[in-house]
């Protein structure tokens, strides 16, 4: 099947974030989305019934975020709500206690634009914190 260059050159990226009681991490998570070098079509955060001040922090962030609040039903149900609300061409999932390197979405989109035409893309993981040191993106994408 020939590559649809128009679709991939104008790819709309939906960032889908699930959150449950991660007020301590959500701002840093959203900051990493804001720092992306790849344009983003939409950012959807589904709060899965948090009892901390996560929702207030999400709404206070300067990003244009669609925040959907729902009763607690687990991570899977939160992501299903996000998927149903998303309108982009590709969906990039991010947990609210994780961050992305500034070129993460750019590298993911380059993989989708490649001649191999992958159905999905995944990347390496680098743990961060006191024991692991600063994070970085493993830019070798496998597909």
């Amino acid at each position: 099947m020939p590559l649809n260059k128009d679709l991939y050159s104008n790819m709309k990226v939906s960032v889908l974030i699930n959150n449950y009681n991660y007020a301590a991490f959500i701002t840093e998570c959203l900051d990493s989305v804001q720092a992306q070098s790849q344009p983003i079509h939409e950012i959807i955060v589904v709060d899965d019934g948090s009892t901390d001040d996560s929702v207030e922090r999400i709404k206070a962030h300067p990003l244009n975020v669609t925040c959907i609040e729902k009763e607690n039903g687990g991570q899977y149900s939160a992501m299903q709500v996000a998927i149903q609300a998303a309108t982009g061409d590709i969906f990039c999932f991010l947990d609210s206690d994780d961050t992305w390197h500034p070129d993460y979405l750019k590298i993911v989109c380059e993989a989708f634009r490649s001649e191999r035409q992958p159905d999905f893309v995944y990347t390496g993981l680098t743990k961060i914190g006191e024991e692991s040191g600063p994070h970085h993106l493993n830019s070798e994408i496998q597909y």
Side-chain angles (χ1 to χ4, degrees):
M1 178 194 293
L3 181 66
N4 183 340
K5 297 281 187 187
D6 291 334
L7 171 66
Y8 288 108
S9 65
N10 299 314
M11 191 178 314
K12 293 180 184 173
V13 177
S14 295
V15 174
L16 309 179
I17 303 171
N18 65 84
N19 180 73
Y20 177 70
N21 286 338
Y22 277 149
F25 306 106
I26 190 65
T27 300
E28 186 177 3
C29 172
L30 292 172
D31 288 347
S32 79
V33 174
Q34 186 173 25
Q36 291 302 299
S37 59
Q38 171 71 32
I40 298 170
H41 171 65
E42 64 188 348
I43 303 159
I44 299 171
V45 179
V46 177
D47 184 81
D48 195 35
S50 292
T51 57
D52 63 6
D53 67 338
S54 294
V55 172
E56 291 80 9
R57 291 178 187 226
I58 294 164
K59 291 179 178 179
H61 198 278
L63 273 175
N64 183 18
V65 175
T66 299
C67 182
I68 301 171
E69 299 174 61
K70 64 179 271 318
E71 286 185 26
N72 183 261
Q75 185 177 28
Y76 178 77
S77 70
M79 288 314 246
Q80 288 299 312
V81 169
I83 289 167
Q84 290 179 6
T87 63
D89 299 314
I90 64 168
F91 301 162
C92 294
F93 299 94
L94 178 62
D95 292 338
S96 57
D97 62 336
D98 294 333
T99 61
W100 283 336
H101 180 279
D103 289 329
Y104 177 81
L105 291 178
K106 176 183 171 192
I107 293 168
V108 167
C109 288
E110 286 172 358
F112 276 107
R113 289 183 188 111
S114 74
E115 293 298 323
R116 291 185 170 182
Q117 302 178 28
D119 292 327
F120 68 93
V121 174
Y122 65 94
T123 63
L125 166 72
T126 302
K127 291 186 177 184
I128 60 172
E130 293 178 14
E131 297 178 19
S132 310
H135 72 282
H136 69 280
L137 173 68
N138 176 353
S139 60
E140 292 185 32
I141 294 182
Q142 306 294 319
Y143 52 96

